[in-house]
Amino acid sequence: MHPPTWGLGRRNFSRHPIAYLRFVDDVWGLWTHGAEALEEFFNVESQIHQRIQLELQYATDKIEFLDVLTIRDGSLITDLFTKPSDKHLYLHRDSSHPESTTKAIPYGLSVRAKRITC
């Protein structure tokens, strides 16, 4: 059984990813059919609509998706990923925001890190 289709071009393609995750306009997937078939699949998907431009990034050892770094080392391992341009600037604790807001930021960051790495 194949995952649900997300583009018109995909309906006519014989090979599919074994995993597919999408968040707004970003997609992450697992492909087991080789680089040549992946590029062929990408070319088919790129022709879905003339105003939609796709970009393909793939790797066999590790890849970033949103704020998650996925590493292949015998199994799939996840870790927190931040872009090099991230300045890690957060709300100062002495700001005039409600106390609940300033307390929620470190809590939210720790929950995020725990979900990604566990």
Side-chain angles (χ1 to χ4, degrees), residues 44-62:
V44 170
E45 290 296 299
S46 295
Q47 297 172 14
I48 293 171
H49 193 281
Q50 62 187 8
R51 294 179 65 189
I52 298 175
Q53 295 181 354
L54 302 178
E55 177 184 334
L56 175 64
Q57 294 180 355
Y58 65 92
T60 59
D61 56 347
K62 62 183 176 180

Side-chain angles (χ1 to χ4, degrees), residues 81-107:
F81 171 75
T82 55
K83 293 182 180 181
S85 61
D86 188 353
K87 302 292 183 202
H88 301 285
L89 297 175
Y90 300 102
L91 187 64
H92 194 277
R93 63 180 169 82
D94 293 334
S95 72
S96 59
H97 288 78
E99 184 180 348
S100 59
T101 301
T102 56
K103 286 183 175 181
I105 292 171
Y107 174 78

